Amino acid sequence: MVATTFNRPRAHIVTYDQNLLWAMLVLLGIGLVMVFSASIAIADNSKALQYNSHHYLIRQAIFITLGLMVGAVAFKVPVGWWQKMAPTLFIFGIILLIVVLIIPGGSGKIKGAQRWIPLYFVNFQPSEVMKLLVPMYVADFAVRKAESMNDFKRSFLPMLAVMLLIGVLLLLQPDYGAFAVMTATAISILWLGGMNIKIFIGILVLFGASLTAFIFSAAYRLDRIRIFLDGPWSDPWDKGYQLSHSFMAYGRGEWFGVGLGASIEKLLYLPDAHTDFLLAVIAEELGFVGVLTVIGLLAFIVVTGFRIAKEAIRLERHFAALFAQGISVWIGIQSIINIGGSMGFLPSKGLTLPLLSFGGSSMLVVCVAMAILLKVDFENKRIQRGLPV
């Protein structure tokens, strides 16, 4: 009887894209190992962390475990529920962005930024949640306004007002990098949702003008642009210090790296080695091959997300398709900004590398986003086989 059960044809079983799941798990594994490697010296020399070299390893392992658990719960939620709750969840996200600015006693400032709500054991960052809620809301907006996407007043102005509100709240923190990612994601979804080309070009012009104005509104942003244009060697001991040491890490790694754990730059030379500049440590210890592996896995996730969205479009699941595309754009843009910043191709924006860098809020939200991609694919397959979702 048992043999009959296991030998039963499995063609009727509906599943999800297991390659996507494995890509996610491999990146989580690489990230856990490299966060530990990059953070040993930092934790071992910190009195506040009681000189515990395993501090970041333990916390990252906890974040990954929680992320997988929350992701498993999110996978059980039908995609239709996210569409139904999109406006409510979006309003909740805006409230969190307000709370982080007015919470009594401050919100746990780090390096002058006010982006976190201090909880008992972790600092919660609302802007990370908004990175998921923005594509969810914009996808729902595009579906609801499908017949009026060519109407300037009904399609462009409402979304402009919403994004300006988010922009003001994020720039007060300030979190310019998160705002850039959300804005680019929203614009991409509106374009994919069928927005009129003239309106779309107008949005791009407005976005470019706003980008320029925001850069010139703060001296530290101008410094980052100057370092980006002139190179870190024009001021290697101050403004260009971080990028110059990132370059050194990339240079030492060559093809196959100096070996796991053998990085010199992580020994308190490279700031934020376990967060924003984790890829530089990967480059130094695992070399070009390690960097190419990470970029390849992230690219695979983005491409697979668009493939899942394409199938949802074929099945006329428009919200699911736009939501999947939005998640893919978000992961792709944030990865490009992080990688480009550590390599000097783009100005550094303080964004984590998805699924790899240390950070609890980012890890939880990205795991939920990946679960939603898997759920969209799961429901696509059920519909293809005539099964209810």
Side-chain angles (χ1 to χ4, degrees), residues 227-291:
I227 291 299
F228 166 66
L229 294 175
D230 296 341
W233 313 116
S234 61
D235 191 6
W237 298 107
D238 189 11
K239 304 300 182 182
Y241 180 84
Q242 187 176 40
L243 186 57
S244 65
H245 280 276
S246 179
F247 282 177
M248 293 178 195
Y250 276 99
R252 290 192 73 243
E254 297 185 353
W255 285 98
F256 300 101
V258 297
L260 185 62
S263 167
I264 291 178
E265 290 301 324
K266 72 182 182 184
L267 302 179
L268 305 182
Y269 292 105
L270 177 63
D272 301 321
H274 62 304
T275 55
D276 305 346
F277 279 74
L278 182 65
L279 191 66
V281 179
I282 294 175
E284 186 176 3
E285 296 190 349
L286 304 182
F288 177 77
V289 173
V291 172

Side-chain angles (χ1 to χ4, degrees), residues 46-121:
S46 174
K47 182 179 179 179
L49 303 180
Q50 299 178 340
Y51 308 107
N52 180 9
S53 60
H54 292 75
H55 173 81
Y56 291 104
L57 170 66
I58 294 171
R59 290 177 70 84
Q60 185 75 345
I62 292 173
F63 294 149
I64 290 175
T65 301
L66 291 175
L68 292 175
M69 292 172 61
V70 174
V73 173
F75 182 78
K76 298 292 184 180
V77 179
V79 176
W81 185 87
W82 296 110
Q83 181 177 10
K84 179 181 178 181
M85 295 298 296
T88 302
L89 292 174
F90 188 73
I91 292 174
F92 176 71
I94 291 178
I95 292 173
L96 289 178
L97 291 180
I98 296 173
V99 169
V100 78
L101 296 172
I102 65 174
I103 185 171
S107 65
K109 285 190 176 183
I110 300 177
K111 296 183 179 180
Q114 189 169 329
R115 306 173 186 172
W116 296 268
I117 298 176
L119 303 178
Y120 179 72
F121 62 93

